Amino acid sequence: MNAGKLSDVRFAHWMKKSQETRNFGAWKKFPARDVCRCCDATACPTNLSVIRKVGLDIREGRTTAQDVTRAYLAKIRQTDEKVGSFITIQADDAIAQAMSIDEKICRGEDPGILTGVAFAIKDNICSSDSFTTSGSRLLEVHRSPHDSLVVSAIKAEGGIILGKTNLDEFGMGSTTENSAFGVTSNPWDMRRIPGGSSGGSASAVALKQCAAALGSDTGGSIRQPASFCGVVGLKPTYGLLSRHGLVAYASSFDTIGPVTTSVEDSAIVLTALCSRHDQLDSTLHHTNSSRFHDHLKNLEHFASKPLSGYRFAIIKETIGPGVQHDVVQRVLEAATKIERLGAAVDFVSCPTFHLGLPAYYILALSEASSNLSRYDCIRLGGKTSRDEGFGAEVKRRILMGSFALSAGHSDAYYERAQEVQRMVEAELACKLQEYDAFILPAAPSPAYLKSEKMNDPLAMYSGDMMTVNVNLSGLPAIVVRGGHVENDGALLPVGLQIVGRPFGERALLEIAHAYELCTWDEINF
């Protein structure tokens, strides 16, 4: 296949199936979903960054941190009873933080690059001024004695914590239906799930209850909800950000990352999170560059072909059986847009790709069974029992992990899964020597109805097929808006996942930023 050209034969094969039903112009009849949280102005490619606008308005005296915070708290009070994004709302603490920022501004001080930005924090990330429940009755009254390193970084850079968001218990799930504190709804269609396990963070950003949020990604828990809710979700390279203060699910894969409304905002938040270099966990790596937003250009400063020189690969196994046809269409359409921006796009085959899902679940559940043994209701876990405190999904995963590690079975399951992990990692690393990034779906379908897969765990687990290989390999990945599909009368977003090289966040964000700005009108209007 010629570099710079999608295979005409293969592309035609996929596009022919829906040639009669595709209608890009039909999207224009739907109202734009993205509106600036400060001024209610419709977002456009020149003002996508909410964080930049909020900080500038506060510094120049057009508004105050207190006014911005009160506006977001009012939005939460207005909408959260129906949506259920939050477990805990810290209204008084948020106002106090905003007052402190306004005082610094009055003294001529710069609070930081997150000045006045309202954050929601996934409730498995510790903060000392609120409960950290991890979505479990077992930790319902648990209060951490310290902030996680990422929460400390947000506060140090002028960010404001509004509250803690809902999640699947201990991050174990893909729907946010496994929380002990209720089910979160998808803002695009209240009948549907927002994805998981960071569904509360994604729905809060999509519904404009906050400017940005933090989530955690063990096997796709930031990227899949970002796709389902039509927002941007970044999973950094494993080890780029500290896990200190993150309630562990599978320590070899757990990664904290931002959920935002734009790629530029994700870059700004990542810069803030990397501003702290305390060596508080053994997996933290230090990189030379931690200013991920400085090099991102405005639309008017782009060259005519902003992605010229980049090479992308579509993994064949991600657009085959098991992936909804409309989702495949959005990915292929995104590929043609990327080519128009000057990049080369090819198809590649990764035969080990489908081996990643079973290997991931063996490894992740084995680690989970070990990590959750600390909740013995003596040192941790409150006054309830493990039987009463753990939900059904957590119990299921503990049992499966314990079985995989048990005598007589660890060779057949756990060690074999480790071998598969090494194969997956080696194959993706080999392809990334030739290509700058992969493009693939973030999920095999758009958001589905509540309870649709609750009684079929294997069907729910298979929904992670597009994301788990990234975690097995420790690679960075970002999900941006890839378009929309209509499903049972509902307009639903579809995310495009871009996977980069290890510690290549700078290039990954540059690619995603260029794609987002150059395709904004076509995708969102």
Side-chain angles (χ1 to χ4, degrees), residues 1 8 68 100 106 123 133 138 155 159 172 213 226-227 229 254 268-269 281 295 315 342-343 383 414 438 475:
M1 186 183 310
D8 293 336
V68 172
S100 176
C106 289
D123 203 19
T133 70
L138 204 68
K155 292 179 178 179
M172 298 183 184
S227 176
C229 292
D254 292 340
I268 294 172
V269 175
D281 65 68
H295 69 292
I315 299 175
K383 299 180 179 179
Y414 186 77
F438 300 119
L475 299 173

Side-chain angles (χ1 to χ4, degrees), residues 227-503:
S227 176
F228 284 2
C229 292
V231 294
V232 175
L234 172 64
K235 181 259 175 204
T237 305
Y238 181 80
L240 181 67
L241 297 179
S242 173
R243 293 184 294 108
H244 175 72
L246 174 66
V247 177
Y249 165 13
S251 303
S252 296
F253 308 125
D254 292 340
T255 308
I256 296 172
V259 180
T260 61
T261 59
S262 70
V263 174
E264 184 176 359
D265 281 352
S266 284
I268 294 172
V269 175
L270 186 62
T271 297
L273 299 182
C274 288
S275 63
R276 298 291 298 273
H277 297 291
D278 306 33
Q279 191 70 46
L280 295 176
D281 65 68
S282 60
T283 60
L284 185 63
H285 293 264
H286 297 304
T287 58
N288 294 327
S289 174
S290 60
R291 302 285 296 183
F292 297 101
H293 65 290
D294 286 346
H295 69 292
L296 299 182
K297 299 177 181 179
N298 293 330
L299 185 63
E300 59 268 23
H301 295 143
F302 278 156
S304 60
K305 302 285 187 180
L307 295 182
S308 179
Y310 284 104
R311 299 193 67 199
F312 294 84
I314 299 175
I315 299 175
K316 294 177 184 178
E317 288 77 7
T318 66
I319 55 173
V323 185
Q324 187 170 310
H325 179 63
D326 287 344
V327 173
V328 174
Q329 291 300 118
R330 298 294 89 81
V331 172
L332 295 177
E333 289 159 7
T336 61
K337 295 181 178 76
I338 288 172
E339 278 200 319
R340 290 203 306 264
L341 297 178
V345 182
D346 292 333
F347 287 95
V348 299
S349 179
C350 293
T352 64
F353 193 86
H354 288 308
L355 302 177
L357 186 67
Y360 164 80
Y361 269 101
I362 290 172
L363 295 173
L365 302 194
S366 297
E367 292 191 26
S369 69
S370 175
N371 279 329
L372 268 62
S373 65
R374 72 191 66 178
Y375 303 108
D376 55 6
C377 301
I378 299 173
R379 294 165 295 177
L380 285 171
K383 299 180 179 179
T384 185
S385 66
R386 284 169 62 89
D387 180 55
E388 295 172 342
F390 284 143
E393 181 62 27
V394 174
K395 293 176 183 176
R396 181 184 298 117
R397 297 194 184 201
I398 291 174
L399 289 172
M400 288 192 291
S402 299
F403 177 80
L405 291 175
S406 61
H409 295 101
S410 60
D411 289 350
Y413 294 102
Y414 186 77
E415 292 184 14
R416 186 171 295 182
Q418 286 183 311
E419 293 175 4
V420 172
Q421 179 187 10
R422 288 189 287 269
M423 292 168 56
V424 170
E425 184 176 2
E427 183 169 54
L428 294 181
C430 181
K431 301 295 184 185
L432 286 172
Q433 291 180 1
E434 182 179 359
Y435 295 97
D436 295 289
F438 300 119
I439 51 177
L440 61 153
S445 71
Y448 44 87
L449 297 173
K450 294 175 182 176
S451 302
E452 185 174 323
K453 298 183 180 181
M454 280 295 288
N455 296 322
D456 189 356
L458 292 180
M460 183 177 67
Y461 299 165
S462 67
D464 296 333
M465 62 189 293
M466 299 298 165
T467 53
V468 295
N469 289 281
V470 174
N471 297 83
L472 288 174
S473 306
L475 299 173
I478 190 169
V479 169
V480 296
R481 300 170 185 85
H484 306 86
V485 299
E486 287 192 67
N487 195 318
D488 294 333
L491 179 72
L492 303 174
V494 172
L496 175 70
Q497 183 176 194
I498 307 173
V499 181
R501 294 168 176 165
F503 298 101

Side-chain angles (χ1 to χ4, degrees), residues 85 120-123 165-166 198-206 210 213-215 231 259:
S85 301
I121 308 296
K122 186 177 180 180
D123 203 19
T165 56
N166 201 15
S198 304
S201 292
S203 66
V205 173
C210 59
L214 291 187
V231 294
V259 180

